[in-house]
């Protein structure tokens, strides 16, 4: 028994030892690879394709950061993490950044000592039920068995929602999205709940997506975004402004198609500053002048990433909604590049 | 003339610590102890300094805060506003429930299979060998997942019970076997039911007294008193009489399909059943081998001597072989109980909220207090395991060979 305690303590001490490293950017440059934490597989957001290449909306953010820092969008080591392991992986230094549809909350930011660098998807928790149950509102779910992905904010929202509406339910905690699918399809639970984007992605993978409906209620705010460790502000800035560059590029009309042309110089000073032909923004970040150009070329601007991975023309079929640019009535609003 | 040699002076020299066999073992043990303490101190100091560097601290204050999540399987009152500590206690009780039921089932199955592996019947012997080899050579996690998957896929879901021409129906109108679990009628205690329960407990005590009296009569006077039918009579007759005399105070609450699920009655959740069953049959395969080893360790002469006294095979096993085999079986059996208890931490694979699922799962995740939760988790499991060991060691001392 003594040995068990000892081994446990060694593991913990080992985990904690990794946390002390500070200059993440130097580590990434020395390694020549970015270690990016993603989900274990959620179609559209992060999943390996038929060739084993990681692909998706969150993956696009990782590739953009790798392109900005290392000049190579493929210099990324993707580390699949579950809802449970993601924070330990980031805190221990196993990964440099986490892009795993993670909700920005107060306690994660302040108490867990992480730095959310922005929001790349405005989401909310929803419910999916089989059509044959004839349910049209989440408030009719009294007594239902609900499958939840454990280790997320969803189980807390769920408890709050049912308590606030004074109806009962039976929670079935499930470790990953993949394990939840067969349980839901076999009927071991009546309802599956997670972020609405996740529901759309899960439903797209079903044999008959039309047999299932997503209920209209959105019971929480889930701003999803990439995050880094607290205390390394230089690295935090790099990830934050790479994300902002993708968003600003869409707003300014910079796409992967016209970027080569625009990078030669334009009449718009903001585009010039963004693409590094004017000013020295790259130098301030400790990167090359063309950092943002590389990031945008990796997978396109924010709008392109959205359309190719989760947009209306993909099986996931999400509309922009809140995730449209502020000029189109959405919430995306990048601070100015100046 | 006699010569007297002085006893060697007992002056202690430092070299004796290494060279003298009286001290040498203490020296090395002491060095090993110092090294161990130093290592632990180094790791602890490293942990604390690194936590401080990361701006974190060790604090158990989160245990008093509301947990905020719900738990489906609970033996005590709990809701989402209860504290994290209470959630951990719910988890401990769930772990203990699986461990106790699992150990009991595993012992029953294991002993039966172990005895049958030595059967004279070729077919039974081989079937039991196949069972043992299949179950102990496939990881228990896979058994848990297979049994859960089969459970959900084969049994009808509550929605299949709905409608006029439902695909499934309840057994005898009172038992429902669904993919979400089993629903049984639940006894409802009315006024006066305490007396019925008391009568029932009294008749159980009566049965035990009867059996010990019969045993004493057999040993002291060689008198055989029949126990089987009187025991059965004692078990049923008084309690049924009391039940009707008191005016049928105990009624049954039947499960009924309401909304999405059955309501009422006793509900045994699919995850609990699948987990307990998987752990039990997996561990039973190991116990069966222990039992077989224990029986084979009793010399054949014992069996032959008992047979020559005219005992029948069943009695030879129960009265002569098994009591002697127990002293070989019990020590490895303790290990198997501990294994089963620790393997129950795989519960999250089927969504059963045991200690690892509550304290080591959701609580750890929501509070982010990984080190605190893991340390507490280790303490809980250590306590449970040591308690099982202690209880089983008491039993072992009771059955081991009395040497005088």
């Amino acid at each position: 028994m003594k040995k068990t305690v000892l081994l446990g303590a060694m593991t913990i001490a080992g985990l904690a030892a990794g946390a002390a490293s500070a200059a993440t950017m130097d580590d990434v440059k020395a390694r020549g690879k970015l270690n990016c934490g993603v989900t274990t597989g959620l179609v559209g957001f992060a999943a390996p394709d038929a060739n084993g290449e990681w692909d998706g909306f969150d993956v696009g953010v990782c590739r953009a950061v790798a392109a900005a820092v290392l000049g190579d969008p493929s210099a990324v080591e993707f580390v699949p993490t579950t809802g449970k392991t993601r924070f330990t992986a980031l805190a221990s230094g196993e990964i440099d950044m986490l892009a795993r549809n993670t909700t920005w909350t107060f306690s994660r930011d302040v108490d867990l000592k992480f730095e959310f660098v922005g929001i790349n998807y405005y989401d909310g928790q929803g419910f999916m039920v089989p059509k044959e149950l004839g349910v049209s509102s989440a408030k009719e779910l009294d007594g239902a068995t609900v499958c939840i992905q454990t280790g997320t904010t969803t189980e807390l929202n769920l408890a709050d929602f049912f308590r606030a509406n004074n109806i009962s339910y039976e929670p079935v905690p499930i470790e990953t999205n993949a394990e939840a699918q067969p349980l839901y399809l076999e009927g071991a639970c009546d309802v599956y709940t997670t972020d609405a984007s996740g529901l759309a992605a899960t439903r797209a993978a079903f044999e008959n997506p039309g047999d299932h409906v997503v209920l209209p209620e959105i019971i929480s705010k889930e701003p999803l975004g990439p995050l880094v460790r607290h205390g390394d502000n230089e690295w935090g800035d790099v990830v934050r402004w790479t994300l902002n560059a993708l968003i600003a590029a869409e707003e300014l009309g910079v796409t992967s198609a016209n970027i080569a042309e625009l990078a030669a110089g334009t009449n718009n000073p903001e585009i010039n500053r963004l693409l590094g032909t004017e000013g020295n923004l790259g130098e301030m970040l400790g990167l090359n002048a063309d950092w943002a150009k590389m990031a945008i070329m990796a997978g396109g601007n924010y709008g392109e990433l959205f359309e190719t991975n989760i947009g209306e023309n993909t099986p996931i079929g999400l509309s922009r909604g809140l995730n449209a640019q502020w000029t189109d009535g959405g919430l995306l609003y990048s601070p100015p590049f100046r | 003339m006699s010569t007297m040699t002085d006893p060697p002076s007992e002056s202690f020299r430092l070299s004796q610590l290494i060279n003298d066999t009286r001290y040498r073992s203490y020296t090395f043990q002491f060095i090993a102890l110092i090294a161990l303490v130093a290592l632990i101190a180094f790791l602890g100091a490293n942990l604390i300094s690194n936590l401080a560097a990361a701006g974190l601290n060790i604090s158990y204050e989160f245990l008093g805060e509301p947990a905020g999540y719900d738990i489906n399987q609970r033996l005590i009152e709990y809701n989402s506003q209860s504290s994290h500590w209470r959630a951990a206690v719910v988890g401990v009780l769930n772990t203990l429930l699986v461990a106790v039921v699992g150990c009991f089932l595993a012992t029953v199955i294991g002993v039966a299979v172990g005895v049958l592996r030595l059967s004279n019947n070729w077919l039974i012997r081989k079937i039991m060998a196949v069972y043992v080899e299949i179950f102990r050579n496939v990881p228990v996690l896979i058994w848990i997942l297979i049994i859960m998957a089969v459970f959900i896929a084969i049994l009808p879901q509550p929605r299949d019970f709905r409608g006029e021409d439902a695909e499934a129906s309840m057994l005898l109108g009172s038992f429902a076997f669904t993919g979400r679990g089993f629903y049984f009628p639940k006894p409802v205690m009315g006024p006066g039911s305490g007396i019925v329960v008391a009568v029932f407990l009294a008749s159980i005590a009566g049965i035990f007294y009867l059996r010990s009296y019969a045993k004493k009569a057999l040993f002291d006077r060689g008198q055989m008193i029949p126990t089987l039918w009187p025991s059965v009579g004692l078990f049923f007759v008084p309690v049924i009489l009391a039940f009707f005399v008191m005016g049928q105070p105990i009624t049954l609450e039947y499960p009924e399909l309401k909304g999405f699920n059955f309501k009422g009655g006793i509900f045994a959740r699919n995850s609990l059943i699948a987990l307990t069953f998987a752990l039990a049959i997996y561990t039973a395969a190991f116990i069966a081998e222990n039992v077989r080893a224990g029986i084979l360790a009793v010399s054949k002469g014992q069996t032959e001597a008992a047979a020559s006294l005219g005992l029948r095979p069943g009695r030879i096993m129960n009265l002569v072989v098994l009591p002697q085999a127990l002293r070989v079986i019990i020590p490895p059996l303790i290990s198997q109980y501990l294994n089963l208890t620790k393997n129950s931490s795989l519960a999250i694979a089927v969504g059963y909220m045991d200690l690892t699922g509550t304290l080591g799962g959701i609580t750890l995740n929501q509070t982010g207090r990984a080190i605190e939760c893991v340390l507490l988790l280790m303490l809980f499991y250590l306590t449970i395991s040591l308690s099982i060991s202690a209880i089983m060691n008491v039993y072992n001392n009771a059955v081991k060979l009395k040497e005088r």
Side-chain angles (χ1 to χ4, degrees):
Chain A
M1 281 306 150
K2 220 172 234 165
K3 200 176 263 173
T4 328
V5 177
L6 181 65
L7 286 178
M10 282 168 78
T11 318
I12 292 165
L15 279 178
S21 61
T24 313
M25 183 134 79
D26 298 339
D27 292 349
V28 172
K29 282 183 173 164
R31 205 187 303 130
K33 251 188 178 203
L34 172 75
N35 290 336
C36 193
V38 290
T39 75
T40 49
L42 181 65
V43 178
F45 284 87
D49 65 10
N51 304 320
E53 289 285 315
W54 283 87
D55 202 10
F57 188 61
D58 282 334
V59 166
V61 176
C62 297
R63 291 203 189 280
V65 173
V69 178
L70 302 166
D72 178 7
S74 62
V76 190
E77 180 80 34
F78 290 99
V79 181
T81 56
T82 66
K84 246 166 132 171
T85 59
R86 54 183 165 180
F87 295 126
T88 324
L90 183 58
S92 67
E94 186 190 342
I95 52 178
D96 303 311
M97 62 176 280
L98 182 66
R100 189 204 176 276
N101 37 37
T102 299
T103 307
W104 184 350
T105 68
F106 180 93
S107 61
R108 284 174 179 175
D109 194 331
V110 177
D111 193 34
L112 298 190
K113 313 276 181 208
F114 292 124
E115 190 87 20
F116 284 83
V117 299
I119 295 165
N120 70 339
Y121 192 91
Y122 290 89
D123 210 341
Q125 185 177 348
F127 297 96
M128 176 164 63
V129 293
K131 226 173 217 167
E132 56 168 359
L133 286 183
V135 175
S136 59
S137 158
K139 293 187 178 144
E140 296 166 19
L141 291 176
D142 191 14
T145 304
V146 184
C147 277
I148 337 156
Q149 209 183 318
T150 183
T152 60
T153 45
T154 44
E155 54 209 352
L156 304 186
N157 298 332
L158 191 68
D160 286 353
F161 175 78
F162 278 86
R163 195 161 63 96
N165 287 291
N166 202 15
I167 48 182
S168 68
Y169 73 111
E170 156 108 10
V172 177
I174 307 294
E175 181 96 45
T176 66
N177 194 47
E179 285 171 18
Q181 281 182 32
L183 284 182
Y184 170 74
L185 289 175
E186 293 278 3
C189 28
D190 301 304
V191 191
Y192 182 45
T193 179
T194 184
D195 295 343
S197 63
L199 287 181
T202 308
R203 192 173 69 149
F206 287 170
E207 209 171 324
N208 299 312
D211 293 349
H212 304 270
V213 285
V214 176
L215 297 178
E217 280 92 349
I218 296 293
I219 63 167
S220 67
K221 288 190 289 186
E222 306 285 341
L224 311 181
L227 57 154
V228 297
R229 275 182 297 281
H230 215 89
D232 187 351
N233 296 348
E234 286 75 22
W235 177 244
D237 287 344
V238 168
V239 181
R240 174 179 301 114
W241 284 98
T242 306
L243 178 62
N244 284 337
L246 298 180
I247 297 172
E250 188 191 14
E251 188 188 342
L252 297 169
V254 181
T255 67
S256 54
N258 66 11
I259 191 164
E261 185 189 327
L262 294 177
T266 65
N267 298 330
N268 185 334
E270 180 140 25
I271 295 182
N272 292 348
R273 283 195 296 272
L274 177 65
L275 298 182
T277 47
E278 212 178 296
N280 57 351
L281 297 184
E283 195 186 317
M284 292 179 199
L285 275 177
L287 299 174
N288 294 334
D290 65 348
W291 65 280
K293 181 185 161 201
M294 299 302 293
I296 297 162
M297 279 168 70
N301 63 32
Y302 181 91
E304 288 175 89
L305 278 176
F306 196 102
E307 287 313 320
T308 45
N309 292 305
I310 52 178
E312 276 170 335
N313 297 323
T314 64
I316 313 219
L318 291 169
S319 61
R320 288 292 290 265
L322 291 176
N323 297 293
Q325 291 286 338
W326 64 284
T327 47
D328 300 332
L331 293 174
L332 289 186
Y333 187 104
S334 164
F337 279 76
R338 98 168 34 255
Chain B
M1 187 179 128
S2 63
T3 53
M4 290 268 291
T5 48
D6 286 338
S9 60
E10 285 291 314
S11 72
F12 179 79
R13 293 185 311 281
L14 215 53
S15 62
Q16 272 180 298
L17 282 178
I18 300 290
N19 297 328
D20 192 326
T21 49
R22 283 176 299 176
Y23 303 115
R24 194 190 286 149
S25 63
Y26 289 110
T27 313
F28 285 117
Q29 283 179 38
F30 188 68
I31 293 172
L33 181 70
I34 296 279
L36 188 68
V37 169
L39 183 65
I40 292 174
F42 167 72
L43 290 171
N46 193 15
L47 169 69
I48 289 166
S49 68
N50 278 317
L51 281 176
L56 297 168
N57 59 344
I58 297 255
S59 156
Y60 278 98
E61 273 171 28
F62 68 92
L63 284 175
E65 286 157 20
Y69 58 92
D70 285 299
I71 300 176
N72 50 8
Q73 164 84 40
R74 49 186 186 258
L75 297 174
I76 53 172
E77 213 36 57
Y78 171 88
N79 62 41
S80 62
Q81 292 309 294
S82 307
S83 65
H84 279 295
W85 171 253
R86 198 159 179 88
V89 173
V90 170
V92 171
L93 292 176
N94 285 347
T95 294
L96 286 176
L97 176 68
V98 168
V100 170
V101 178
C103 286
F104 174 76
L105 271 182
T107 313
V108 172
I109 302 172
V111 170
V113 172
V115 171
L116 291 177
R117 270 207 84 175
L118 296 167
S119 159
N120 290 325
N121 184 318
W122 183 86
L123 187 63
I124 290 180
R125 207 164 62 223
K126 290 299 165 194
I127 290 175
M128 293 306 151
V130 168
Y131 160 75
V132 168
E133 295 307 335
I134 288 182
F135 276 89
R136 68 174 185 170
N137 288 314
V138 173
V140 64
L141 177 61
I142 297 184
W143 281 119
I144 295 174
L145 291 174
I146 290 175
I147 289 174
M148 183 69 169
V150 169
F151 201 110
I152 291 174
I154 286 186
L155 291 170
Q157 298 299 341
R159 66 180 75 138
D160 297 332
F161 288 78
R162 202 171 298 133
E164 285 300 312
D165 51 343
E167 291 169 45
S169 61
M170 290 167 77
L171 182 68
L172 302 173
S174 47
F175 297 87
F177 298 103
T178 76
R180 288 180 192 167
F182 299 159
Y183 296 83
F184 307 105
K186 178 168 136 191
V188 179
M189 299 292 176
S193 58
I195 295 175
V196 181
V197 175
V199 168
F200 180 69
L201 292 177
S203 46
I204 298 276
I207 291 171
F208 274 99
Y209 177 74
L210 176 71
R211 297 195 95 100
S212 71
Y213 174 75
K215 198 172 179 184
K216 196 163 155 30
L218 179 67
F219 287 180
D220 292 352
R221 306 195 294 276
Q223 185 188 6
M224 287 277 267
I225 298 176
T227 55
L228 180 64
W229 288 111
S231 298
V232 174
L234 263 179
F235 189 83
F236 287 108
V237 177
V239 73
I240 291 175
L241 275 180
F243 179 68
F244 284 104
V245 166
M246 294 306 297
Q248 309 188 10
I250 302 176
T251 50
L252 289 178
E253 177 193 295
Y254 295 101
E256 262 178 88
L257 190 60
K258 271 188 197 154
F260 292 96
N261 283 315
F262 283 92
K263 291 267 170 71
I266 297 173
F267 177 36
R269 213 164 255 98
N270 54 5
S271 51
L272 171 66
I273 296 171
L275 179 70
T276 313
F277 187 60
L279 288 173
I281 55 174
Y282 174 79
T283 312
F286 291 90
I287 293 178
E289 288 298 275
N290 294 341
V291 170
R292 188 167 72 105
I295 292 173
L296 289 177
V298 177
S299 96
K300 205 165 162 38
Q302 297 276 340
T303 315
E304 287 168 351
S308 68
L309 286 174
L311 288 177
R312 276 167 285 144
R315 300 210 140 198
I316 295 176
M317 185 54 83
N318 286 331
L319 296 176
V320 178
V321 179
L322 274 184
Q324 297 187 72
L326 272 182
R327 69 196 158 88
V328 182
I329 296 172
I330 299 296
L333 190 65
I334 302 177
S335 307
Q336 294 307 335
Y337 284 178
L338 296 178
N339 276 344
L340 190 147
T341 308
K342 287 180 288 178
N343 284 342
S344 72
S345 61
L346 295 168
I348 189 63
V350 288
Y352 181 77
M353 295 309 279
D354 72 334
L355 181 56
T356 317
T358 57
L359 177 66
I362 305 181
T363 294
L364 186 156
N365 233 306
Q366 300 300 354
T367 61
R369 297 277 176 191
I371 292 169
E372 291 90 334
C373 286
V374 170
L375 286 177
L376 198 57
L377 202 58
M378 282 160 59
L379 184 71
F380 271 125
Y381 276 110
L382 194 65
T383 312
I384 295 174
S385 294
L386 289 179
S387 312
I388 293 176
S389 287
I391 295 168
M392 290 303 291
N393 279 328
V394 169
Y395 180 59
N396 189 34
N397 284 335
V399 298
K400 79 174 180 197
L401 203 59
K402 304 287 188 296
E403 287 170 343
R404 294 187 180 89

